[in-house]
Amino acid sequence: MEKRYFTIGMAGHIDHGKTTLTKALTNVDTDRLKEEKERQISIELGFAPLYEDDEIQISVIDVPGHERFIRQMIAGVAGIDLVVLVVAADEGVMPQTREHLDILKFLGVKNGLVAITKIDRVDEEFIELVKDDILEELTNTVFEDSPLVLVDSLSKKGIDEMKELIIKTLKEQEMRDAKGAFRLPIDQVFTVKGQGTVVRGTVYEGTVVEGQALKIMPNGIEVRARQIQVHHKPAVKAYAGQRTAINLSNVSKDDLARGDVLVSSEHFIVTKTVDVAIRMVADLEHIVKQRMPIKLHIGTAEVMGRIVFFDRNEIKEENGEILCQLRLEEEILTKRGDRFILRRPSPQETIGGGWVIDPRGNKYRFGNQTIEELEKKKVGTPIERITAALVEAKSLPVNELIKRTALDEETLNEHLTDAEFVLYNGKEYTLQGLIHSIEEDIFDQLQDYHLTHSMKTGVNKAELIHTMQKRFPKSLLDFVVENGMTIGLFKRKEQFVSLASFVPHVPKSWEKRTENLLLELKKDGLKVRYLKDYFSSAGIPETLIFDLKRFLEEQELIVPLDEQFAYHGDVFKEAVEKLRSQTGSEFEVGAAKEVLDLSRKYMIPFLERLDAKGFTKRVENKRVWQK
């Protein structure tokens, strides 16, 4: 099974116990700054590892709750997979709790649970009142149906139950896309003595490997990932969802800042004009006016700009989804679908949020015609609709694509000729990029397998496909494997799949001893000792014997007679040729014993092996040559 990586966030009002809860769950104190210790509040984002096994790795972000630090909270929550909303039992829902709920809604966070903390400070009757208050506040929010957990971080009440619930919830959740172009919005930049510049952030999508060439955007600075760390431990690779620190070459700390983005591809767009779909908070304190200054929070970037409406001049109250444009003072890197928050610079407050329709906005005229154009953009072009449907479902037949894209069959078929769409099995479509990423996944799996099992032919195809079936349809995986063999990427022997370039071999550390074993076996000709004696005298450990014996048999370097004896492959071939040349089309046991000078102990197993390999066929008391 492919390992999955998740980040969860603690959100909630100041002093409701987020940092203490994080410490109780992880045994890590995330308040590491001197100022934080003195003031007993979280200013910067705090991070800690929560849980890891062979299947899953979970990290925690402790998000500052004080209003002054709202920008760090947005930067933290934008990269998480599950939010724990922390509400203190002795205070209940507070102003920042509500603001955090709005932010979570705008950022599209869909997975959450509620931790009611400090339960030892109040009696049970009061806790029930607090629960009712919380449930009322959570109506029509992402947390409406979320479980409530009662905890006390100091006495550790409910901590184990909460940890189990987090693990269970995330084990049932798909991780974000680890394929495609790597993107890491930077939220911390620092230097390490003797190492140089280090950036830290949560990987939004894709993967990064040690030594990979990258770019810092929006400035386009070319760098290389010298070293990678995940939770202060060295790593060769970092995946989407992981909290990661990367040591970069060729760049100074002074050239970078929070809000920059580390990427692996040129395909991301740098822009100052963005077409967006937004929603306002339910209770606007002040009117939002045409072209008023706004502060945009997107990823970890915080940029000033103005909001431009095309069908109104102001908003007094929440009014559904609004299509408009953001014109920014600085360039940002973004793409369609990215979520963001809008804040009023003065007086400071969250006014709304939404998603990017088109990062390449133009200047448009005021009026309904522009809104109609933005509506079309919001829905997407036919190519974008087909792509979006296939990204979600991985593969679909035409009739299902018609339903999901709302395109008529003629329009659909016209655009399915695009090179990005691939028809397979004669009936289903998928994406060329998806095929490439599955190929890469299989390639990596096989490469890892060959490194640890160099003597085995390959991975059983059924097992190889099974590990990926949670994410991709079996029919698509079958196609990618078969197509990979056609293009010379993979090969198959019986049911085993391997890389095309792979040749099974004895591990380098055991090559010499295996050569000695084979030399001894060959030297003894047809009158061999027990096979186990050869392994023993060659100094090959028992743990390796089974795999090595099977490898030698598969490569026909040895030919087993039975469970106890085996011949060197060359000796066996010579014996077969000698016997064939000195007998007619058929022979009896006695004749074979004379030709090969073998006792019954070796003769009978040898003849039975001839039968098993199809060289001979036993007919009553005779063997008849077959090939």
Side-chain angles (χ1 to χ4, degrees):
M1 180 181 291
E2 185 179 12
K3 193 161 182 172
R4 296 176 296 151
Y5 303 89
F6 295 102
T7 302
I8 73 170
M10 300 284 178
H13 194 78
I14 184 173
D15 200 32
H16 274 208
K18 297 184 301 300
T19 301
T20 313
L21 177 57
T22 301
K23 187 175 180 180
L25 286 166
T26 65
N27 295 316
V28 174
D29 186 353
T30 55
D31 275 351
R32 64 203 186 288
L33 299 181
K34 181 173 181 283
E35 188 183 357
E36 291 175 337
K37 295 289 188 187
E38 289 171 355
R39 295 172 57 187
Q40 295 187 324
I41 58 171
S42 298
I43 299 170
E44 294 293 334
L45 302 171
F47 301 90
L50 174 78
Y51 176 80
E52 183 170 12
D53 60 21
D54 292 340
E55 183 182 341
I56 194 169
Q57 182 191 78
I58 304 172
S59 310
V60 182
I61 297 181
D62 172 23
V63 183
H66 193 280
E67 199 277 337
R68 278 182 60 198
F69 310 121
I70 201 80
R71 70 186 181 93
Q72 282 95 330
M73 198 280 287
I74 294 167
V77 86
I80 67 176
D81 304 287
L82 178 145
V83 176
V84 178
L85 184 69
V86 179
V87 183
D90 58 348
E91 287 193 331
V93 175
M94 298 292 281
Q96 264 80 56
T97 315
R98 296 187 184 95
E99 186 166 20
H100 286 202
L101 282 168
D102 280 333
I103 288 168
L104 296 172
K105 176 180 73 176
F106 296 137
L107 292 175
V109 175
K110 297 188 173 100
N111 210 357
L113 58 91
V114 181
I116 303 177
T117 58
K118 307 185 182 183
I119 59 171
D120 280 2
R121 294 190 181 185
V122 297
D123 57 34
E124 288 188 21
E125 189 176 340
F126 193 83
I127 288 174
E128 290 305 313
L129 291 173
V130 171
K131 283 168 74 173
D132 290 341
D133 178 37
I134 291 170
L135 289 171
E136 186 177 337
E137 287 287 346
L138 297 183
T139 303
N140 298 323
T141 74
V142 66
F143 291 91
E144 184 171 24
D145 299 315
S146 298
L148 271 65
V149 186
L150 301 175
V151 296
D152 190 272
S153 302
L154 298 179
S155 67
K156 299 293 181 77
K157 276 185 192 171
I159 294 298
D160 288 343
E161 292 84 347
M162 182 175 170
K163 192 169 182 177
E164 287 173 13
L165 180 60
I166 290 169
I167 294 165
K168 179 178 181 292
T169 302
L170 288 175
K171 282 198 171 183
E172 293 171 356
Q173 183 175 323
E174 286 296 311
M175 69 181 254
R176 71 186 67 189
D177 190 6
K179 299 300 178 187
F182 166 76
R183 177 164 57 146
L184 181 140
I186 297 167
D187 57 48
Q188 290 174 343
V189 184
F190 52 95
T191 55
V192 175
K193 192 173 181 180
Q195 300 294 322
T197 304
V198 177
V199 298
R200 187 183 280 143
T202 301
V203 182
Y204 267 34
E205 57 194 326
T207 58
V208 61
V209 296
E210 200 170 70
Q212 185 172 352
L214 302 166
K215 274 194 174 183
I216 302 282
M217 304 300 283
N219 296 328
I221 302 170
E222 295 184 355
V223 295
R224 192 170 294 277
R226 290 173 57 189
Q227 293 175 312
I228 299 170
Q229 282 196 352
V230 177
H231 289 310
H232 307 291
K233 293 179 182 176
V236 175
K237 197 171 188 178
Y239 299 82
Q242 281 190 313
R243 180 71 189 160
T244 305
I246 303 177
N247 177 211
L248 300 176
S249 63
N250 307 324
V251 68
S252 164
K253 173 182 178 290
D254 298 333
D255 294 328
L256 307 179
R258 180 201 295 261
D260 288 342
V261 187
L262 190 60
V263 298
S264 64
S265 169
E266 301 280 351
H267 298 149
F268 292 108
I269 294 163
V270 171
T271 180
K272 291 171 77 171
T273 306
V274 188
D275 295 339
V276 296
I278 64 171
R279 289 182 182 274
M280 296 297 171
V281 297
D283 302 310
L284 276 172
E285 289 190 31
H286 305 86
I287 294 172
V288 176
K289 295 184 177 180
Q290 173 76 293
R291 296 182 182 272
M292 70 171 256
I294 51 92
K295 190 177 286 186
L296 169 72
H297 295 269
I298 186 163
T300 58
E302 177 185 353
V303 181
M304 293 296 296
R306 294 185 180 274
I307 189 166
V308 178
F309 299 117
F310 301 105
D311 59 348
R312 68 198 72 202
N313 285 308
E314 61 180 34
I315 300 171
K316 295 180 181 178
E317 58 187 8
E318 182 187 16
N319 193 22
E321 192 171 58
I322 300 160
L323 304 183
C324 57
Q325 190 175 81
L326 303 177
R327 295 182 186 170
L328 307 173
E329 294 177 7
E330 301 171 50
E331 287 185 323
I332 61 166
L333 178 140
T334 188
K335 72 175 190 178
R336 178 181 169 89
D338 280 357
R339 296 275 183 164
F340 61 84
I341 300 296
L342 293 179
R343 300 263 294 160
R344 188 193 299 274
S346 180
Q348 290 191 20
E349 63 173 338
T350 300
I351 59 172
W355 62 281
V356 174
I357 295 173
D358 186 353
R360 292 162 291 204
N362 292 312
K363 289 199 172 181
Y364 313 118
R365 290 183 178 179
F366 189 92
N368 286 333
Q369 186 177 344
T370 293
I371 296 298
E372 287 170 13
E373 288 300 314
L374 290 177
E375 282 285 2
K376 288 179 187 175
K377 275 194 183 185
K378 179 187 162 188
V379 172
T381 65
I383 294 281
E384 287 170 339
R385 290 196 223 175
I386 298 167
T387 301
L390 291 175
V391 164
E392 183 180 353
K394 313 308 181 195
S395 74
L396 290 168
V398 169
N399 61 338
E400 193 60 34
L401 275 169
I402 291 171
K403 291 179 193 173
R404 296 201 185 203
T405 61
L407 296 170
D408 61 77
E409 189 169 2
E410 186 179 345
T411 303
L412 183 67
N413 286 330
E414 179 188 336
H415 288 91
L416 282 173
T417 57
D418 189 276
E420 177 57 21
F421 307 126
V422 177
L423 177 67
Y424 74 98
N425 289 353
K427 59 182 180 180
E428 289 186 272
Y429 282 90
T430 190
L431 296 167
Q432 187 69 58
L434 194 58
I435 290 173
H436 289 324
S437 64
I438 295 173
E439 280 175 352
E440 286 175 17
D441 203 338
I442 293 172
F443 188 96
D444 290 345
Q445 283 193 58
L446 291 175
Q447 194 169 52
D448 290 345
Y449 187 85
H450 295 331
L451 284 172
T452 52
H453 302 89
S454 65
M455 293 186 291
K456 294 186 177 179
T457 306
V459 183
N460 187 302
K461 184 188 172 190
E463 290 177 18
L464 181 68
I465 286 176
H466 181 70
T467 61
M468 305 172 71
Q469 265 184 258
K470 273 194 172 181
R471 295 187 293 124
F472 306 106
K474 183 178 181 300
S475 61
L476 178 56
L477 294 170
D478 279 327
F479 168 74
V480 174
V481 171
E482 296 300 322
N483 186 62
M485 289 190 283
T486 302
I487 63 176
L489 191 62
F490 313 129
K491 64 183 178 185
R492 186 170 66 189
K493 183 178 180 182
E494 297 172 348
Q495 74 269 37
F496 299 104
V497 179
S498 68
L499 295 179
S501 58
F502 175 70
V503 177
H505 58 278
V506 176
K508 198 166 186 62
S509 54
W510 299 105
E511 274 181 3
K512 192 64 183 172
R513 297 189 190 195
T514 304
E515 285 175 18
N516 292 338
L517 180 153
L518 291 170
L519 284 171
E520 285 295 310
L521 191 63
K522 189 170 186 177
K523 187 176 72 174
D524 288 346
L526 295 174
K527 296 175 182 178
V528 291
R529 293 171 282 144
Y530 291 127
L531 185 59
K532 66 179 183 180
D533 293 342
Y534 290 96
F535 282 104
S536 178
S537 61
I540 292 168
E542 283 192 22
T543 53
L544 196 67
I545 288 175
F546 180 81
D547 284 344
L548 182 55
K549 180 173 177 286
R550 183 171 62 180
F551 167 77
L552 295 174
E553 287 177 24
E554 287 175 352
Q555 301 302 310
E556 297 184 347
L557 293 168
I558 66 171
V559 178
L561 300 184
D562 53 24
E563 290 299 314
Q564 295 179 308
F565 298 106
Y567 284 158
H568 190 284
D570 293 345
V571 170
F572 181 80
K573 287 176 192 170
E574 289 168 7
V576 172
E577 291 306 314
K578 185 176 181 182
L579 185 60
R580 189 195 297 272
S581 66
Q582 295 186 35
T583 58
S585 59
E586 58 184 37
F587 61 92
E588 293 181 349
V589 175
K593 285 174 70 175
E594 278 186 34
V595 171
L596 298 177
D597 187 25
L598 284 177
S599 67
R600 189 174 182 83
K601 180 174 78 171
Y602 297 115
M603 193 73 256
I604 298 304
F606 176 80
L607 293 177
E608 287 175 350
R609 181 56 58 185
L610 288 184
D611 295 341
K613 283 186 164 288
F615 288 115
T616 57
K617 182 180 179 182
R618 183 173 177 175
V619 180
E620 296 178 348
N621 293 327
K622 296 181 179 180
R623 257 48 182 216
V624 179
W625 288 104
Q626 300 295 301
K627 61 179 183 179

